[in-house]
């Protein structure tokens, strides 16, 4: 519900084909529920020491609740570019707006998940020391750790897509 007591309109998500061409725009619940392919952003947040920000996901998230995220980011909304989405997500989730560096694109397809998570993601990185203003609906904790320590976390406790992103970034 919004502040006037009305139901919030559904979030409209860009639907793409496997070559990352836009084919439709549908409510997020439809896109996720039917396993459509969509666009996402991933932002690797580092401090000056080269440590990565590891976030604890809220238990209310619709996918991978309560796990660790090794990147900020999220699903791109209709009409957004990858960069605009990355900037919006950083501001919403962490309350920051540092300069972004584009890294690479990555296709992710989680065949094991009961809710198909298939997307084209654009990876960005940034450097920020904090402080962070966490969005409690999304992020319940955030701490810097070495990249090795982040990758050594139990894989069953980390979102598999952000783990794949960090591994690809290190290569």
């Amino acid at each position: 519900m919004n502040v006037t007591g009305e139901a919030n309109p559904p979030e409209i998500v860009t639907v793409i084909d496997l070559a990352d061409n836009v084919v439709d725009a549908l409510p997020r619940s439809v896109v996720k529920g039917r396993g459509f392919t969509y666009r996402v952003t991933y932002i690797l947040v580092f401090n000056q020491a080269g440590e990565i920000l590891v976030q604890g996901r809220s238990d209310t998230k619709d996918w991978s609740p309560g796990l660790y995220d090794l990147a900020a980011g999220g699903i791109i909304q209709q009409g957004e570019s990858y960069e605009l989405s990355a900037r919006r997500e950083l501001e919403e989730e962490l309350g920051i707006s540092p300069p972004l560096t584009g890294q690479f694109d990555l296709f992710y397809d989680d065949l094991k998940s009961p809710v198909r998570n298939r997307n084209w993601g654009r990876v960005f990185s940034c450097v920020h020391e904090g402080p962070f203003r966490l969005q409690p609906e999304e992020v319940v904790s955030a701490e810097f750790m070495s990249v090795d320590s982040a990758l050594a976390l139990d894989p069953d406790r980390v979102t598999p897509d952000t783990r794949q992103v960090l591994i690809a970034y290190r290569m």
Side-chain angles (χ1 to χ4, degrees), residues 21-36:
N21 299 303
V22 175
V23 296
D24 208 344
L26 297 168
R28 177 186 176 122
S29 60
V30 173
V31 172
K32 296 284 279 189
R34 294 188 188 163
F36 290 125

Side-chain angles (χ1 to χ4, degrees), residues 10-68:
E11 180 182 352
I12 304 300
V13 173
T14 299
V15 178
I16 58 171
D17 63 19
L18 295 180
D20 195 17
N21 299 303
V22 175
V23 296
D24 208 344
L26 297 168
R28 177 186 176 122
S29 60
V30 173
V31 172
K32 296 284 279 189
R34 294 188 188 163
F36 290 125
T37 305
Y38 51 93
R39 289 177 173 166
V40 298
T41 57
Y42 299 102
I43 309 99
L44 301 168
V45 180
F46 296 97
N47 62 15
Q48 295 283 347
E51 297 171 314
I52 191 157
L53 187 70
V54 176
Q55 302 165 58
R57 292 170 65 87
S58 163
D59 287 334
T60 61
K61 296 289 288 176
D62 66 350
W63 184 74
S64 297
L67 298 187
Y68 292 112

Side-chain angles (χ1 to χ4, degrees), residues 150-169:
L151 289 174
L153 291 169
D154 178 354
D156 290 335
R157 300 290 309 136
V158 176
T159 55
D161 58 337
T162 64
R163 189 169 195 286
Q164 182 177 329
V165 164
L166 187 55
I167 290 168
Y169 176 82

